[in-house]
Amino acid sequence: MIEQSNPLLCDLETGMCETPESTAKGVTSKKVNSLSKPIKVIYYTDPICSSCWGIEPQLRKLKLEYGSYIAIEYRMGGLLPDWSYNSGGISKASDVAHHWDEVSLHYDMPIDGDVWLEDPLDSSYPPSIAFKAAQMQNEDLAIAFLRVIREMVFLQKKNISKWENLKAAAEKVGLDLEQFRFDFEEKAKRLFEEDLMLGRKLGVRGFPSLYFSDGQGNTEFVYGTRAYAFYEIAVLKLAPEAKKSEYRRNWEALFGKYPTLTAKEFSELSGNGRAEAVEVLDVLTTQGKLVKETTKNGSLWRRKMD
């Protein structure tokens, strides 16, 4: 029997992947300075956190509906330093494969756990540092980069701790590769360490962790992957005046905003039921407007480029 001590074995009840050294039972109140928008959100995540992949539909919707009120700051948490920390229970990467398949079904997000059998990662630190290097160039490109490497590891079974895969992702989103390599080997490592230190101060014990602050010392914390309403309520508690932004829910607009979407994401953002969402996406695929990438645990759609 596999023990829950391993960070890659996420608790499906709490929606959280916990760090190895986690001992915190709660989060103490910390003042987080806000940016120009009314609410700042510090989002602690990790590139290989399966529960963080599960939060993508809710997070994307939150950005569309409350993007004018919230500024999200992405921080890396260091989910898997290496395989030496474990004292028992799980001793090798292959033990994680079946769990990821279970997580995929639970969150209705495509994940192929066979990466842990075919090309397992030694650590999540390299992709975390790579994200910080991307972040140094451009925040939006960094978020796009994070999405690409997640698709690589969760759907394409690629080891994103390897430089060649990180480089390919950086090139795909349009980062300056020379600068990316330089920052990856230099300053990005220090920025990653700063993320880890801040996480310890905030009491982060797992991912996803979202800290909402209005800049006046008032905070709300959403721990783990939750239904969309939990995140919306956190915004409205700190900014009761916040109004939802209307956005276009047709497929062209949604794929224009987010180049790739899963069925769960398209359903969440478009307002279609889950079955109807798949039907719409499959029809668009048949019409040659979308390209469908299928895994053993679900699919991803991308807009076909002319």
Side-chain angles (χ1 to χ4, degrees), residues 167-181:
K167 179 182 177 183
E171 185 173 19
K172 183 173 183 177
V173 302
L175 290 167
D176 181 312
L177 294 182
E178 184 176 351
Q179 187 64 45
F180 177 71
R181 180 64 183 258

Side-chain angles (χ1 to χ4, degrees), residues 249 263-264 266-278 280:
R249 298 172 183 266
K264 175 70 176 295
F266 186 71
S267 174
E268 184 84 51
L269 301 182
S270 67
N272 289 316
R274 178 63 170 75
E276 183 183 357
V278 173
V280 170

Side-chain angles (χ1 to χ4, degrees), residues 111-122:
I111 303 175
D112 191 335
D114 286 353
V115 64
W116 296 106
L117 304 175
E118 300 173 9
D119 194 6
L121 289 76
D122 293 325

Side-chain angles (χ1 to χ4, degrees), residues 10-169:
C10 303
D11 188 328
L12 298 182
E13 291 185 5
T14 64
M16 178 66 69
C17 299
E18 296 193 355
T19 52
E21 67 279 6
S22 171
T23 56
K25 298 302 181 184
V27 178
T28 56
S29 177
K30 301 287 183 179
K31 183 173 181 179
V32 181
N33 294 326
S34 183
L35 299 176
S36 56
K37 294 182 180 180
I39 298 172
K40 176 177 179 178
V41 183
I42 294 183
Y43 172 35
Y44 262 92
T45 184
D46 187 279
I48 68 170
C49 169
S50 54
S51 286
C52 296
W53 181 238
I55 201 183
E56 283 286 280
Q58 298 93 306
L59 195 60
R60 286 182 156 189
K61 186 176 182 180
L62 193 70
K63 290 177 180 179
L64 288 174
E65 292 196 332
Y66 293 101
S68 60
Y69 289 89
I70 63 174
I72 302 179
E73 181 179 302
Y74 283 67
R75 296 274 186 164
M76 296 290 106
L79 182 63
L80 181 66
D82 53 49
W83 287 100
S84 66
Y85 66 85
N86 191 60
S87 59
I90 182 170
S91 59
K92 56 187 183 299
S94 60
D95 293 336
V96 184
H98 178 65
H99 174 69
W100 267 25
D101 291 338
E102 292 178 334
V103 171
S104 179
L105 294 174
H106 182 76
Y107 291 127
D108 190 20
M109 288 286 282
I111 303 175
D112 191 335
D114 286 353
V115 64
W116 296 106
L117 304 175
E118 300 173 9
D119 194 6
L121 289 76
D122 293 325
S123 170
S124 68
Y125 278 29
S128 298
I129 294 168
F131 172 80
K132 301 308 293 186
Q135 207 173 27
M136 290 174 66
Q137 286 194 42
N138 181 284
E139 185 71 26
D140 290 336
L141 291 183
I143 295 170
F145 172 80
L146 181 59
R147 175 72 182 204
V148 169
I149 61 175
R150 279 182 166 149
E151 291 176 4
M152 280 181 166
V153 71
F154 291 128
L155 285 81
Q156 300 163 16
K157 300 184 290 184
K158 292 183 179 179
N159 184 334
I160 57 171
S161 66
K162 292 181 176 178
W163 171 252
E164 58 264 31
N165 290 328
L166 296 173
K167 179 182 177 183

Side-chain angles (χ1 to χ4, degrees), residues 138-264:
N138 181 284
E139 185 71 26
D140 290 336
L141 291 183
I143 295 170
F145 172 80
L146 181 59
R147 175 72 182 204
V148 169
I149 61 175
R150 279 182 166 149
E151 291 176 4
M152 280 181 166
V153 71
F154 291 128
L155 285 81
Q156 300 163 16
K157 300 184 290 184
K158 292 183 179 179
N159 184 334
I160 57 171
S161 66
K162 292 181 176 178
W163 171 252
E164 58 264 31
N165 290 328
L166 296 173
K167 179 182 177 183
E171 185 173 19
K172 183 173 183 177
V173 302
L175 290 167
D176 181 312
L177 294 182
E178 184 176 351
Q179 187 64 45
F180 177 71
R181 180 64 183 258
F182 177 80
D183 291 334
F184 176 78
E185 296 176 346
E186 299 293 338
K187 190 175 181 181
K189 294 179 181 179
R190 296 194 295 274
L191 294 178
F192 175 53
E193 289 294 333
E194 290 176 5
D195 280 4
L196 296 181
M197 286 190 291
L198 177 60
R200 286 190 286 270
K201 290 180 180 178
L202 290 174
V204 173
R205 71 181 193 271
F207 320 106
S209 291
L210 285 85
Y211 300 83
F212 296 74
S213 170
D214 63 1
Q216 306 301 315
N218 302 309
T219 60
E220 291 292 328
F221 172 64
V222 182
Y223 173 89
T225 301
R226 303 295 184 185
Y228 179 72
F230 283 79
Y231 308 100
E232 182 177 35
I233 289 170
V235 172
L236 295 176
K237 280 186 176 180
L238 296 175
E241 75 284 0
K243 303 295 182 183
K244 289 183 182 179
S245 295
E246 292 297 324
Y247 65 90
R248 294 166 57 208
R249 298 172 183 266
N250 58 72
W251 75 269
E252 296 97 333
L254 294 178
F255 278 92
K257 175 67 174 178
Y258 299 119
T260 61
L261 290 166
T262 66
K264 175 70 176 295

